[in-house]
Every structure is written in C-alpha cells, then in structure tokens.
Amino acid sequence: MTDLPFADYQQPTKPAAGPRLAIVGEAPGAEEARLGRPFVGRSGKLLDENLAAAGVERAECLVANVFRHQPPGNKVGHFFSSRTRARKEGREIDERWGAFGTSDYVLAEFSGEIDHLREALAAFAPRVVVALGRTPTWALTGRNGIMQLRGSLLPCRLLDGVEVVPTFHPSYILRGQLAEQPTFLADLKLAVSRLAG
Ligand code: URA
C-alpha cells in the first residue's frame, strides 16, 4: 500500500481493573517509526506525565494512531485530498468518512486505516476514548473543530456506546502552548472520571 515509515498500535500489557480507556493520536513521528510504537518521543513523554497525573496506567490502555504511517514532514494532510485535487492527480478519495475540515476527504489508499482502528477498538472494548487533536476527533466522531470540541463528551462513530473526549495534541502544547497543559490534564481527568461507576 505504502512504504512510509510505520509504527503499530501499543496493546495493553496489563489487564485493567475496571472499564478501559483507549488513547488515539494522529500518526507516528520519527521516533515512533524508529521504535515501531506510538507516543514514545517528546509528545509521548508529555502524554505519559499527564496520564500519570490523571491516575491512568498507560500499560492498561490501548494506545493507537488514526494512521500507522509517518507522513512526510509529519504533515497529516498527506492522507487527505480535496475532490478537485484528487481528480487532477488521478487519485481516489473515500467519502464514507465525511469531510475532514471544510473540503478534504481521506484518500482511498489510507481509508482502511480507519476500518483497522474500528476493529482494534471493537477488540479492546473501551468505555472511553481520548482523542488527541483534530485528526482522531474527526476519525472517531465525524466532527471538525478541536478548539470548540475539546473537553466535551461525544459519541464514538466507530463503536456504539463509547464516549470520546477530545483534547489537545501534546505536540500542540510543546509548540509554545505550555499554558494549555492544565486544560490538557483536566480533559484527561474528565475521561478518567467517565470510567468510574
Ligand atoms: N504524534 C502522534 O499523533 N502519534 C504518535 O504516536 C506520536 C506523535
């Protein structure tokens, strides 16, 4: 399909005591592709610190990305195209998943990644999924606009009865938005609170 660098999901190494949490990012970066695992670079460190502060054991979670391939320049736009550009370039888009942003759709050659995520979620059976940034929020809920959606509880379109908590991508915080770290932690705590009961 593609020979882009690849990192698979991280399956839990420890059984959860109660309802399960899944964490979904965008796509692996260079460090993730080198080690073949998601969130092991700088973003992963920030994620791990905040998960621990929210009382989550990462070892009990499924940690996934919407796309398992590292896009050139870490630009997720690589996986999407407008109808016009796809036509010009002779490529296929898959409109099944709806528009990403105003006018882009996932390219057909990558849309199987969303089916794969759905299957992995079905196998793991989480109660709550944390969506790290706009790409997983779109893939998991069909909604666009992370700034408006973060900190809310949305139904997961990939698995019935599951709640999605969108929050910032850790790399956004690392790129000069350190003031948002308490909000990020509060969103993770919200997700954890939904596991109780
Ligand atoms: N960013 C992501 O979205 N996923 C990773 O695994 C690493 C960085």
Side-chain angles (χ1 to χ4, degrees), residues 7 24-29 32 37-41 43-44 63-65 132 169 171:
V24 182
E26 188 164 82
E32 285 73 22
R37 290 200 310 277
F39 286 104
V40 289
S43 290
V63 184
N65 280 308
L132 298 171
H169 193 286
S171 72

